[in-house]
């Protein structure tokens, strides 16, 4: 009886097709093309510490392994998810043994952003001494996730998602080298490339699933319908807590601010499709209404709030329609940040200013003593004045000049607001107010 445990595990397609040379790497031409930074690093003959920053499946681990091969170095890999200071020390002991054998070590730390400050600090002495060349990989912005001391000792290389054309090259390579006589029609290929979403590893995993499903079904030519039915096609790439999340929120906000309803809808639905919490999106939409539309169209605040309430009442997917229509309305609404700017200026002024007294004529006078002290004396009740406006009156602390923080824009309702304020200033001037 054969030993079931004697066989080597079969490597996944993504591992089997991992590039063995720099020329086999697909994508990252901005770094690996002739005369480009990473190509020059390979050709220099001298390794340096670096951090690869980019989304999943774009070649970060592959490039680190190729670095070790190019520089004839020993390769030690740690995952920040599973490793701690103890593992770092063990790796350094191995690096010292390698050095004794006249071999340099490249230390690769995958998901370096998962290491806390103490763990990152533990790497520093060994990187500084040159015992190891450090290569980190991260999907998060290293400016925020890597300590400055380590960041200053490593060159950051930004890796991009693969284009559809580059994924097409990879698909063709997989068909030639690993998929035998399995055929894909053009629409099936396009479907798989679309769902790979710029991720080479995801593309190869989808192809491997297709191969397995086709074998089970006795199919040799795969069409788009087979792909849709046979595979578990996950949502687009979306990181609920990382840079991709905040980049898409930024794109949504800026599309609304830029008055582009289709772009606003695109980013909203991208985030919903990726699993973003609609309640969080609703809160951001309300903020957009106050920050970028303001008093140019107060209905935007009402619609944003009503959309948030509608989602609370209906939930998904029906309530998401309200969010979609809210961003359409806000995108086409007149824009003003005059209130937002004015509030910020007032906050900044108060923060650095002294504590000014309330003018006596504006003070409340509920007691006889307060009235005897002049509280509220000479206060002019606006409703008793012509046009319900006490022309020439001042409401700021004594000695404080008019700051002019709120400046209505010539858009939407603020056109009328600006005209009203201009008229009030005219009356003030006629009443002798400076």
């Amino acid at each position: 009886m054969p030993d079931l445990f004697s066989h080597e595990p079969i490597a996944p397609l993504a591992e089997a097709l991992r590039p063995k040379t720099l020329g086999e790497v697909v994508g990252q031409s901005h770094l690996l093309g002739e005369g480009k930074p990473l190509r020059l690093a390979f050709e220099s003959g001298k390794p340096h510490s670096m951090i690869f920053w980019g989304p999943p499946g774009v070649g970060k681990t592959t490039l680190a392994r190729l670095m070790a091969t190019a520089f004839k170095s020993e390769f030690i890999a740690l995952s920040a998810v599973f490793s701690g200071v103890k593992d770092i020390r063990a790796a350094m002991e191995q690096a010292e043994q390698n050095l004794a054998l006249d071999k340099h070590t490249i230390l690769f730390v995958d998901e370096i952003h998962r290491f806390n400050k103490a763990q990152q600090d533990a790497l520093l002495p060994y990187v500084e001494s040159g015992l190891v060349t450090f290569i980190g990989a991260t999907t998060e912005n290293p400016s925020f996730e890597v300590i400055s001391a380590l960041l200053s000792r490593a060159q950051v290389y930004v890796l991009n998602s693969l284009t559809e054309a580059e994924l097409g090259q990879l698909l063709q390579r997989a068909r030639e080298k690993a998929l035998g006589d399995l055929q894909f029609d053009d629409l099936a290929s396009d479907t798989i490339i679309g769902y790979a979403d710029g991720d080479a590893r995801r593309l190869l995993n989808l192809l491997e699933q297709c191969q397995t499903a086709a074998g089970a079904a006795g199919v040799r030519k795969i069409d788009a319908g087979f792909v849709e039915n046979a595979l578990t096609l996950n949502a687009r790439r979306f990181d609920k807590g990382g840079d991709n999340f905040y980049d898409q929120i930024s794109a949504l906000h800026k599309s609304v601010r830029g008055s582009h309803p289709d772009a606003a809808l695109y980013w909203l639905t991208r985030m919903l499709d990726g699993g973003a919490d609609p309640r969080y999106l609703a809160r951001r939409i309300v903020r957009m209404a106050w920050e970028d539309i303001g008093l140019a169209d107060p209905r935007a605040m009402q619609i944003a709030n009503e959309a948030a309430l509608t989602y609370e009442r209906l939930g998904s997917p029906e309530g998401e329609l309200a969010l979609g229509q809210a961003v359409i309305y806000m995108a086409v609404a007149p824009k003003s940040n005059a209130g937002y700017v004015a509030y910020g200026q007032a906050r900044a002024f108060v923060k650095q200013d002294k504590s000014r007294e309330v003018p006596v004529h504006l003070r409340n006078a509920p007691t006889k003593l307060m009235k005897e002290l002049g509280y509220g004396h000479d206060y002019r009740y606006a409703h008793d004045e012509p046009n319900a406006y006490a022309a020439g009156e001042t409401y700021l602390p004594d000695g404080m000049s008019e700051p002019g923080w709120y400046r209505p824009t010539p858009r939407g309702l603020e056109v009328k607001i600006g005209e009203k304020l201009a008229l009030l200033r005219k009356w003030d001037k006629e009443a002798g107010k400076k």
Side-chain angles (χ1 to χ4, degrees), residues 159-332:
L159 278 64
N160 297 329
S161 299
L162 272 65
T163 65
E164 290 186 357
E166 290 165 346
L167 289 173
Q169 293 176 34
L170 192 57
L171 187 150
Q172 184 60 31
R173 181 183 297 173
R175 290 177 61 181
E176 293 172 355
K177 294 190 173 184
L179 299 182
D181 61 351
L182 190 62
Q183 300 295 311
F184 296 79
D185 68 22
D186 290 343
L187 189 54
S189 297
D190 290 344
T191 300
I192 292 171
I193 288 171
Y195 277 103
D197 203 21
D199 184 330
R201 183 167 52 247
R202 190 174 188 181
L203 175 86
L204 295 174
N205 288 342
L206 289 171
L207 288 174
E208 193 166 30
Q209 291 175 45
C210 278
Q211 184 182 38
T212 301
V219 172
R220 299 315 306 160
K221 185 168 184 178
I222 292 175
D223 58 20
F226 184 87
V227 172
E228 296 281 358
N229 292 327
L231 303 184
T232 302
L233 298 172
N234 299 322
R236 303 291 181 184
R237 183 175 61 245
F238 186 81
D239 182 355
K240 296 183 184 180
D243 286 335
N244 204 32
F245 175 85
Y246 293 107
D247 286 345
Q248 291 185 30
I249 277 291
S250 177
L252 171 61
H253 198 150
K254 288 169 182 171
S255 298
V256 169
R257 182 184 295 149
S259 300
H260 199 302
D262 287 344
L265 271 179
Y266 171 78
W267 292 115
L268 175 70
T269 52
R270 266 287 298 277
M271 297 192 77
L272 290 171
D273 179 66
D277 183 355
R279 293 177 180 83
Y280 172 81
L281 294 174
R283 292 195 296 271
R284 292 295 300 234
I285 290 168
V286 172
R287 174 187 169 180
M288 293 173 205
W290 286 101
E291 182 175 328
D292 288 302
I293 298 169
L295 298 181
D297 188 349
R299 290 171 297 181
M301 295 84 153
Q302 297 172 352
I303 288 173
N305 278 307
E306 289 296 331
L309 290 173
T310 298
Y311 180 81
E312 290 296 334
R313 180 169 294 178
L314 297 181
S316 293
E318 294 87 351
E320 293 164 5
L321 173 62
L323 301 181
Q325 295 198 43
V327 299
I328 292 172
Y329 185 91
M330 292 194 299
V332 301

Side-chain angles (χ1 to χ4, degrees), residues 78-100:
L78 296 178
S79 169
V81 176
F82 304 110
S83 304
V85 173
K86 181 180 178 181
D87 300 287
I88 294 172
R89 288 174 180 159
M92 294 308 105
E93 290 175 2
Q94 181 61 53
E96 289 172 346
Q97 294 175 21
N98 294 337
L99 187 61

Side-chain angles (χ1 to χ4, degrees), residues 33-55:
E34 291 298 327
K36 298 301 182 180
L38 204 48
R39 167 76 66 170
L40 294 176
F42 271 91
E43 294 173 349
S44 69
K46 184 177 180 181
H48 63 267
S49 292
M50 60 189 74
I51 294 174
F52 295 140
W53 171 27

Side-chain angles (χ1 to χ4, degrees), residues 16 37 41 61-62 68 83 122 137-138 145 162 178 190 215 228 249-250 254 313 318 375 380 386 397 401 409 411 424:
T61 302
T62 293
S83 304
T138 177
E145 305 295 341
L162 272 65
D190 290 344
E228 296 281 358
I249 277 291
S250 177
K254 288 169 182 171
R313 180 169 294 178
E318 294 87 351
Y375 284 22
R380 297 164 60 191
S401 59
T409 65
R411 294 183 291 276
L424 298 181

